[in-house]
Each structure stands twice: as C-alpha cells, then as structure tokens.
Amino acid sequence: MQDDATGLQAVAEAQPDFARHLGARLVESTPERVVFDMQVTQDLANRNGVLHGGAIMGLADNAGGTATFLNLPAGRSTTTVESKTNFLRPIRLGDTARAVCEPLHRGRTTQVWQTTVTRGDGKVAAIV
C-alpha cells in the first residue's frame, strides 16, 4: 500500500505533457477530489492581460480527466463527452488559478465532474 505522498507523486508523474505545458501543478488527488494550481503567466494570458479562457478550460479538463482516471477500473481509458464553462471573473497575470474538481455522478459507464476555478483571493472565476 502506498502512502498519500507516494500516491500523489504517482498521479502527478502520470499527467500528460499538456498539463505540464500549462504549468498545472497537482496539489491533491483522491477518487473524491482533485485539486490543481496554475500560475497565470504571460504565455497563458489573453490580450487583456488576464488568464485566457482556453487555459482555464484546459486546466479544468485536465482536472476532470485526472479525477475520472482515478475512478476507472484497471485497463480502461477516458475521453471528455461534453464540457461547458461559465466565466464569472478574470484571473490576472501573476495570480494563481486553483481548480477543484468534485464528482456530481460516478456511474458504471459515465462520470460527471464539476470543476470550480478560483483566484488567489478565493473568489470563483469559472465553473466547468
């Protein structure tokens, strides 16, 4: 049996290159909850100097994929069927986006996850 730190490290190492490209850092991973942090850098900003919506969606999709993976039987894989994002407030350059992904439904063949993306001040910036 692995301890929590070993399990977190294993899940962190299994992240796709895209997550590393975004700078997504795994903070917590259990079958019930996955948390990532991501620094808002110029490379991830839109022309208005805030985190690009696509970067928010990419972070949330990766969190949902990680959460789903943690709930799959051995040898199974996953793909996103649908994703919707409500953008509520901007996350400015230099801030940190935090994605907290929790299950709404974990069925036999489908799973539905909600990811809440917050800013450094704790205010909700997006719900995916």
Side-chain angles (χ1 to χ4, degrees):
M1 181 175 180
Q2 21 182 35
D3 63 24
D4 288 346
T6 303
L8 182 66
Q9 182 64 29
V11 174
E13 289 173 0
Q15 292 302 302
D17 289 342
F18 181 70
R20 284 188 274 285
H21 177 74
L22 288 175
R25 185 179 65 81
L26 183 65
V27 175
E28 178 184 337
S29 68
T30 69
E32 294 78 31
R33 180 180 157 102
V34 169
V35 180
F36 280 90
D37 282 348
M38 182 175 75
Q39 288 299 122
V40 181
T41 65
Q42 184 64 49
D43 288 342
L44 299 176
N46 65 20
R47 65 182 53 93
N48 299 316
V50 299
L51 186 59
H52 192 286
I56 291 173
M57 293 169 69
L59 174 65
D61 185 65
N62 192 75
T66 299
T68 300
F69 176 79
L70 290 171
N71 285 274
L72 287 176
R76 301 291 299 268
S77 64
T78 181
T79 188
T80 301
V81 175
E82 179 180 44
S83 184
K84 180 195 184 310
T85 304
N86 287 322
F87 298 102
L88 304 173
R89 27 179 88 75
I91 308 176
R92 303 209 180 282
L93 281 169
D95 203 347
T96 300
R98 171 161 279 198
V100 177
C101 186
E102 297 175 311
L104 299 178
H105 169 75
R106 288 183 287 180
R108 197 172 46 81
T109 58
T110 61
Q111 297 181 35
V112 178
W113 294 86
Q114 179 169 292
T115 303
T116 302
V117 180
T118 56
R119 310 184 307 190
D121 63 5
K123 292 185 179 179
V124 176
I127 297 178
V128 184

